Structures are given as C-alpha cells and as structure tokens.
Amino acid sequence: ETGVTQTPRHLVMGMTNKKSLKCEQHLGHNAMYWYKQSAKKPLELMFVYNFKEQTENNSVPSRFSPECPNSSHLFLHLHTLQPEDSALYLCASSLTAGGATNIQYFGAGTRLSVL
Amino acid sequence: GDSVTQMEGPVTLSEEAFLTINCTYTATGYPSLFWYVQYPGEGLQLLLKATKADDKGSNKGFEATYRKETTSFHLEKGSVQVSDSAVYFCALSALDSGYSTLTFGKGTMLLVSP
C-alpha cells in the first residue's frame, strides 16, 4: 500500500464512450502526476499538478482532460479515445513538484483497453 | 533532453545468482537518480535513490552507486530470490523551469527461477 489509490483497476471502453479515471492520495502531498505506460516504451509523463495548478502538459491530445479539484484528488477524463490509447495509466504524488530529490509514490494503475 | 538507457531484458537468473542491471543517463546539471521496481499487477515502488555523485543507495540487498564520471547507476544484488522477479526502472530527476520531472528508462524485466 503506497498511499495512492487508483480506480477503476481495469476499464474497457469503446471509442465513442466517455469515462474518467480517479486517483486519490492520503500522503499529504501537494503534487500529482499522470503517466502512460505502454509495452516496450518508457513511462510517458502526461500531466503535472502542483498545489492544484497544472504545471506540465506534455503535448497530450485533447481527448485526455485532467482535473485536480484539490491536492488529494486527480482525475483523467477520457473521450473519443483511439485503440492506441490502450495502456496502463499510472498516477503518482510527491510532496511538491519542486526539488529534484522529491520521491514520487505511485498507484497500482488503471489498465485501459479501447475497442 | 534528458534520457535514461537500460539494458534490454528479460534477465533470467537462478536463485542466489548475482544480479547486475546496467543503467546510464544523459542529463544537464546534477540529477538525482532512482531505481523503481514494479511487481506484477502493481504500480512502481521506489527501491533506492542517490542524490549526488559517489552516493550509494541501498535497500533490500540491492545497491547502486552514482558514478558521475561514467554517467551510470548500475543496480546490483549479491543473491537474488524468486520474489525479486519484477520489472526494474532506472530514472533520473532534474529541475526544469523550477519543477522536477522524472525521466524513466524502458525497464528491465528480471525473472528468477528456483
């Protein structure tokens, strides 16, 4: 148990569906992150929030829409996805997004399959 | 930009064998270096870290030394167990516009047989 909880653990959706991934952290952290993990590729950073403000958007397509209502919760809203978006989506948190020694704590991920 | 290169896997070993997973990096400035481990069906967990040159990170019998001269952070363990079977990720953290971001390698799968 890392203190970062992601739901759902598995999600199957069609290309026309709208769904949301949820991440919650109980560590008192102020920074939260979304990563995409695809087979045989390095983890890709998608979004970073620091004190609820988005500080990073790594050229992610607009069909992915993040939301951070407070420092403990992070959502990833999905709509009109493509099959190549099928991957493991990981959420992480850290004390802040500043400081190169900050340790990031990861959730178990949501395994997304787009049909 | 920053990058991390890890040896291709899978690495297949017998129990009690010696493990080395190579990791080299490219970065401007002085990054912090990490090894994360991902067990099947789980997220990534921090295994060990080093924040400056010549630092040695260690945990659960695993060690890695931050070598600035060779830009390396190789992971070692003297005697692996079946329970060490997992995917291991080398990563670096550097400041970019005041915010730290993690850059990961592709991961190396370790399979340990009894």
Side-chain angles (χ1 to χ4, degrees):
Chain A
E1 178 57 51
T2 62
V4 180
T5 304
Q6 289 187 245
T7 55
R9 291 295 307 275
H10 302 274
L11 179 62
V12 179
M13 58 188 289
M15 288 190 283
T16 58
N17 291 159
K18 289 184 180 182
K19 297 286 185 183
S20 296
L21 311 185
K22 179 182 176 182
C23 177
E24 183 174 0
Q25 57 93 2
H26 305 279
L27 301 170
H29 289 166
N30 296 296
M32 298 188 77
Y33 311 77
W34 279 119
Y35 289 87
K36 177 183 179 182
Q37 186 177 25
S38 305
K40 300 191 188 302
K41 293 176 67 175
L43 267 75
E44 301 171 55
L45 178 65
M46 300 174 72
F47 302 104
V48 181
Y49 278 83
N50 195 40
F51 292 92
K52 300 189 296 179
E53 297 296 320
Q54 185 174 312
T55 62
E56 187 97 13
N57 175 344
N58 262 3
S59 303
V60 180
S62 59
R63 58 186 184 269
F64 295 91
S65 173
E67 178 190 0
C68 188
N70 55 61
S71 292
S72 299
H73 293 87
L74 183 65
F75 296 89
L76 189 62
H77 304 299
L78 317 170
H79 64 97
T80 58
L81 294 191
Q82 304 299 310
E84 60 265 27
D85 296 323
S86 298
L88 181 68
Y89 289 84
L90 291 167
C91 172
S93 72
S94 66
L95 191 57
T96 70
T101 60
N102 272 332
I103 297 170
Q104 292 186 22
Y105 294 82
F106 285 79
T110 295
R111 173 70 62 186
L112 174 67
S113 298
V114 181
L115 306 180
Chain B
D2 298 343
S3 67
V4 175
T5 303
Q6 290 180 237
M7 57 191 295
E8 293 271 341
V11 173
T12 304
L13 295 173
S14 298
E15 207 165 23
E16 299 183 3
F18 184 85
L19 168 71
T20 300
I21 299 178
N22 289 338
C23 171
T24 57
Y25 67 90
T26 303
T28 54
Y30 302 96
S32 295
L33 302 174
F34 304 84
W35 277 100
Y36 279 83
V37 58
Q38 186 176 31
Y39 297 102
E42 299 184 14
L44 278 71
Q45 302 174 31
L46 179 68
L47 182 59
L48 52 86
K49 69 172 185 174
T51 58
K52 60 184 188 298
D54 300 325
D55 266 4
K56 178 187 281 189
S58 62
N59 185 27
K60 300 181 181 179
F62 291 90
E63 291 184 342
T65 301
Y66 189 157
R67 301 286 188 202
K68 186 170 179 291
E69 64 277 13
T70 54
T71 62
S72 65
F73 193 53
H74 304 321
L75 183 68
E76 296 182 336
K77 186 176 185 182
S79 176
V80 293
Q81 306 300 311
V82 173
S83 57
D84 293 326
S85 298
V87 181
Y88 291 81
F89 293 89
C90 186
L92 69 83
S93 175
L95 288 176
D96 180 8
S97 301
Y99 296 100
S100 64
T101 57
L102 274 176
T103 300
F104 286 89
K106 291 185 178 181
T108 303
M109 179 178 286
L110 170 65
L111 299 171
V112 181
S113 57

